[in-house]
Amino acid sequence: MTDDYTVSVEVPGVEDYCRLRRVAGLTPRSETAAKAGLPNTVIGVVVRHGAEVVGMGRVMGDGLCYQVVDIAVEPAHQGRGLGKAIMSALMRELRQTAPAEAYVSLIADGDAKHLYAQYGFEPTAPVSIGMAQWIGR
C-alpha cells in the first residue's frame, strides 16, 4: 500500500457501503438494509484515496462469536495491498476487543481464501461446513 491511501477505524457510511459492495462485485444491499445493519458493526475499517472511500471491511459480533464481513475494494484500486491493510486493521482491533476464547469466522469467496489464510483463517470442512439462507428469496 502506498502513501496515497489512509486507513481508519470507522464504520463506512451508508452510501459508501452500498456503492463499494456493488462495484466490488458483492451482493448489492439496499440503503434500508445498510441503515439497519451498519449500527451493529463492532469494528469497521475504511480506506481513503484522498477524500474518496475506496475500500472497507467490518466485523460483527456479540462478544463470543465474530464474523468478518464486507471486505470490498474498488476495482481501480485493487492489487495495491488494500485488502491486506483492511484485514490487518480489523484483526489488530479484534485482538484488542475480543476475549481470547472468541470464535471468528468468515465466508471466503473464490481466491479471497488466500488473503484470509495470511491472517490465520483455515477451512472448516470437512469437520463443519458453512450454511446460509436468503430471507425473502
Side-chain angles (χ1 to χ4, degrees):
M1 191 172 88
T2 68
D3 292 339
D4 297 341
Y5 296 95
T6 58
V7 178
S8 59
V9 177
E10 64 179 283
V11 179
V14 170
E15 266 186 47
D16 288 323
Y17 174 82
C18 291
R19 178 183 54 79
L20 283 171
R21 282 192 62 89
R22 186 179 65 253
V23 301
L26 302 179
T27 305
R29 298 285 191 242
S30 69
E31 285 192 15
T32 301
K35 286 177 184 174
L38 289 174
N40 297 306
T41 302
V42 174
I43 302 163
V45 170
V46 170
V47 177
R48 287 186 175 80
H49 184 251
E52 181 185 6
V53 174
V54 298
M56 68 173 181
R58 298 189 313 130
V59 174
M60 304 179 311
D62 63 5
L64 297 172
C65 296
Y66 295 87
Q67 187 164 28
V68 177
V69 295
D70 300 325
I71 306 297
V73 175
E74 280 192 14
H77 297 273
Q78 291 176 0
R80 299 178 188 186
L82 301 184
K84 289 181 182 180
I86 292 166
M87 282 300 297
S88 291
L90 288 175
M91 295 308 297
R92 180 183 63 248
E93 295 295 319
L94 193 53
R95 284 189 183 96
Q96 293 175 4
T97 304
E101 67 271 19
Y103 181 80
V104 183
S105 64
L106 56 77
I107 301 294
D109 294 334
D111 285 339
K113 65 185 174 193
H114 302 295
L115 169 65
Y116 303 133
Q118 295 175 41
Y119 295 91
F121 289 90
E122 301 173 346
T124 58
V127 174
S128 58
I129 60 166
M131 299 177 73
Q133 178 184 124
W134 289 100
I135 302 296
R137 284 193 183 178

